[in-house]
C-alpha cells in the first residue's frame, strides 16, 4: 500500500483556515522528503492560490502532485492549467449523496465521470477516481464502477462521514475482492468515530493499494487517518512503512504543523507526535525502563526521529533511585537511597541527566 497525503487540501478546508501559497509549497516540500507517493495540495478550480501551489510543487517534488476535481470540464481544465501530475475526479456514489447532494441518477454521474477522466487523459494528466460516501454504498454498485473504470490507476472509496469501523471495512473490501483487484483500490477515511487509522490498517491487511492520510489527522470535522499513526502502526504491526522514511516521520510532521500554524493539532497527548507520549515518570515504569525501555513502550521513538524522556521525582521508587545512584558511581546503600528519594521528591520532576547530577552533588555534601 502506498500513501497519498491530503493534509494541505483537507486542512485548508477546516473552518477558519486559509493556508497561503507559501505555506502549502513549503509544507509540501517537507512532506516530499518523507518519500510519499502522492501529495494533494488543493482544489485548483477554487482559485489561483491552489493552482499556483500545485504548479510550484509539481515542478520540484518526487511525489506525484494531485489536483482534486469534480466531474466537470472546468475543474479538469483548471487541473491542467495548474500542471498537476494527477487529476483526482470525485463523484458521489451513495443513494443519499446522489439524491441530496447532486440530484442526478447514478448512470448520469458515471457518464460525467467518464467524460472527465477522458478529458484529463487528453490533457496528459493521470486520472484517479474517488467515490464519495462509498462505504455506505451497496457493494454491487462499487464493483460496477471499479469494473467500468478499470483503465484508472486507482478508484478510491471514501468513508466520507467516518461512519465505518474495521469490521465493516474488511467485510466490504473482501466482498469487492471477488470482482476487483484490490491493488487498484484506494481508501479515504474520516475520523468522526475515532477509528480512521484502524480502518486504514484494516484496508491494508485486506490488500488495498493506496490510502489517503493527513498529518495529525488535519481535515474537516474530526479529520482523516493520521499519517504518523498509519506509518508507525504499520512498522510496529507489519514491519512496513508504506514507503515513508521512518527516521524523518516525527520531525517532519511537527515541522509541517509549524509551517501551517497548526501546532495545536498535536497536543501533548496526541499519539506519536505528542510531547508527553514518550515521557515516563511512574516509579514502576522508569525503574524498568532504565534497564530496558521496551518494557513500557510500543515502539522505539528514535526509530521515527523522536526521543524518550524518563522523569524522576515524587513517584520514583527505591529501585529507580538505586539504579540512578549506581549509574552515578555511588554505592546505593539504604541510607543513600532514602536520602536521594527525598531530594527527588523535593526537586523533581527531572530528566535522567539532571537526576544523575543531583545524585553526584548530593552525595558529595
Amino acid at each position: 500500500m502506498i500513501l497519498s497525503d491530503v493534509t494541505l487540501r483537507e486542512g485548508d478546508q477546516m473552518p477558519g483556515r486559509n493556508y497561503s501559497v507559501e505555506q502549502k509549497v513549503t509544507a509540501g516540500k517537507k512532506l516530499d522528503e518523507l518519500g510519499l507517493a502522492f501529495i494533494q495540495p488543493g482544489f485548483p478550480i477554487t482559485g489561483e492560490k491552489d493552482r499556483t501551489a500545485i504548479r510550484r510543487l509539481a515542478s520540484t517534488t518526487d511525489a506525484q502532485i494531485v489536483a482534486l476535481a469534480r466531474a466537470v470540464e472546468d475543474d479538469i481544465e483548471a487541473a491542467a492549467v495548474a500542471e498537476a501530475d494527477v487529476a483526482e475526479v470525485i463523484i458521489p456514489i451513495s443513494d443519499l449523496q446522489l439524491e441530496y447532494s447532486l440530484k442526478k441518477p447514478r448512470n448520469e454521474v458515471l457518464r460525467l465521470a467518464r467524460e472527465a477522466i477522458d478529458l484529463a487523459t487528453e490533457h496528459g494528466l493521470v486520472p484517479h477516481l474517488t467515490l464519495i460516501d462509498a462505504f455506505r454504498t451497496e457493494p454491487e454498485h462499487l464493483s460496477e464502477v471499479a469494473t467500468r473504470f478499470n483503465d484508472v490507476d486507482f478508484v478510491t472509496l471514501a468513508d466520507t462521514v467516518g461512519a465505518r469501523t474495521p469490521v465493516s471495512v474488511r467485510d466490504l473490501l473482501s466482498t469487492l475482492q471477488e470482482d476487483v483487484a484490490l491493488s487498484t483500490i484506494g481508501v479515504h477515511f474520516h475520523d468522526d468515530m475515532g477509528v480512521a487509522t484502524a480502518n486504514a490498517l484494516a484496508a491494508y491487511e485486506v490488500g488495498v493499494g493506496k490510502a489517503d492520510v493527513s498529518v495529525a489527522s488535519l481535515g474537516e470535522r474530526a479529520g482523516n487517518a493520521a499519517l504518523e499513526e498509519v506509518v508507525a502502526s504499520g512498522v510496529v504491526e507489519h514491519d512496513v512503512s508504506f514507503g515513508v522514511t521512518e527516521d524523518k516521520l516525527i520531525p517532519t510532521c511537527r515541522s509541517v504543523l509549524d509551517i501551517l500554524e497548526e501546532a495545536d493539532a498535536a497536543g501533548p497527548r496526541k499519539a506519536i507526535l505528542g510531547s508527553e507520549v514518550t515521557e515516563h515518570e511512574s516509579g514502576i515504569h522508569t525503574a524498568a525502563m532504565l534497564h530496558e525501555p521496551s518494557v513500557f513502550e510500543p515502539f522505539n521513538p528514535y526509530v521515527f526521529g523522536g526521543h524518550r524522556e524518563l522523569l524522576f521525582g515524587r513517584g520514583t521508587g527505591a529501585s529507580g533511585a538505586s539504579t540512578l545512584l549506581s549509574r552515578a558511581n555511588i554505592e546505593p546503600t539504604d541510607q543513600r537511597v532514602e536520602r536521594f528519594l527525598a531530594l527527588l521528591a523535593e526537586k523533581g520532576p527531572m530528566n535522567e541527566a539532571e537526576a544523575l547530577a543531583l545524585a553526584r552533588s548530593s552525595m558529595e555534601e
Side-chain angles (χ1 to χ4, degrees):
M1 185 173 81
I2 56 178
L3 301 181
S4 179
D5 187 276
V6 298
T7 307
L8 305 178
R9 195 267 301 170
E10 280 275 2
D12 203 16
Q13 290 180 195
M14 295 190 299
R17 290 351 185 251
N18 186 18
Y19 302 156
S20 69
V21 170
E22 289 304 322
Q23 283 177 304
K24 289 199 173 193
V25 171
T26 305
K29 289 179 178 179
K30 280 289 181 184
L31 289 167
D32 188 50
E33 294 175 4
L34 288 176
L36 292 156
F38 301 102
I39 296 172
Q40 187 185 99
F43 201 169
I45 193 63
T46 61
E48 188 57 36
K49 181 184 78 172
D50 278 6
R51 290 193 288 274
T52 301
I54 288 170
R55 187 180 303 111
R56 287 175 58 182
L57 285 170
S59 65
T60 58
T61 59
D62 292 324
Q64 296 286 290
I65 298 302
V66 181
L68 200 67
R70 297 166 300 175
V72 175
E73 181 178 351
D74 286 351
D75 285 36
I76 303 301
E77 296 291 347
V81 168
E83 301 176 11
D85 299 304
V86 176
E88 182 150 355
V89 178
I90 56 172
I91 59 169
I93 196 64
S94 69
D95 291 339
L96 276 171
Q97 290 282 335
L98 291 169
E99 181 176 354
Y100 293 102
S101 291
L102 203 58
K103 302 184 187 303
K104 292 181 184 293
R106 185 173 285 107
N107 283 340
E108 173 67 6
V109 171
L110 296 181
R111 183 187 65 78
L112 294 172
R114 170 50 65 191
E115 291 177 357
I117 285 169
D118 289 346
L119 181 59
T121 302
E122 289 174 17
H123 280 294
L125 301 168
V126 175
H128 291 180
L129 180 63
T130 288
L131 308 181
I132 298 171
D133 209 21
F135 280 91
R136 294 195 297 182
T137 301
E138 293 300 318
E140 57 265 28
H141 295 315
L142 301 178
S143 293
E144 176 192 357
V145 175
T147 301
R148 183 181 296 196
F149 293 92
N150 59 7
D151 56 326
V152 174
D153 286 356
F154 289 103
V155 175
T156 293
L157 311 181
D159 183 18
T160 303
V161 296
R164 291 295 174 254
T165 63
V167 171
S168 55
V169 167
R170 286 191 183 93
D171 286 347
L172 177 61
L173 292 172
S174 296
T175 299
L176 289 181
Q177 195 169 25
E178 298 173 7
D179 303 312
V180 178
L182 291 187
S183 59
T184 66
I185 296 297
V187 289
H188 178 98
F189 293 110
H190 278 265
D191 203 34
D192 298 72
M193 297 199 299
V195 291
T197 294
N199 284 342
L201 292 168
Y204 162 73
E205 290 162 1
V206 177
V208 301
K210 179 176 75 75
D212 290 355
V213 293
S214 68
V215 175
S217 297
L218 288 181
E220 293 182 289
R221 304 185 317 278
N224 300 85
L227 164 63
E228 67 282 356
E229 293 175 7
V230 170
V231 173
S233 297
V235 171
V236 170
E237 187 71 11
H238 301 289
D239 195 28
V240 59
S241 65
F242 309 114
V244 168
T245 304
E246 296 172 25
D247 63 359
K248 292 183 178 180
L249 180 65
I250 291 174
T252 298
C253 288
R254 287 176 174 165
S255 179
V256 167
L257 293 175
D258 287 340
I259 292 165
L260 299 177
E261 300 179 6
E262 297 282 7
D264 289 347
R269 305 197 62 77
K270 179 73 169 71
I272 314 301
L273 298 181
S275 60
E276 295 182 9
V277 171
T278 51
E279 288 183 351
H280 308 267
E281 186 177 0
S282 167
I284 295 174
H285 288 204
T286 53
M289 293 179 72
L290 282 167
H291 300 286
E292 178 48 65
S294 66
V295 173
F296 287 105
E297 280 183 346
F299 60 86
N300 180 348
Y302 293 97
V303 168
F304 302 111
H307 72 282
R308 78 172 60 88
E309 189 159 59
L310 304 185
L311 299 176
F312 302 91
R314 189 173 302 278
T316 301
S319 177
S322 178
T323 299
L324 287 169
L325 289 172
S326 295
R327 290 191 177 183
N329 297 316
I330 298 167
E331 183 181 355
T333 64
D334 290 346
Q335 183 179 7
R336 284 172 176 161
V337 168
E338 184 176 349
R339 180 182 174 191
F340 189 40
L341 284 172
L343 286 169
L344 288 172
E346 176 187 348
K347 300 179 180 294
M350 61 185 68
N351 62 31
E352 183 177 353
E354 293 167 334
L356 291 173
L358 177 63
R360 295 186 183 103
S361 65
S362 64
M363 296 304 118
E364 290 172 356
E365 295 175 357

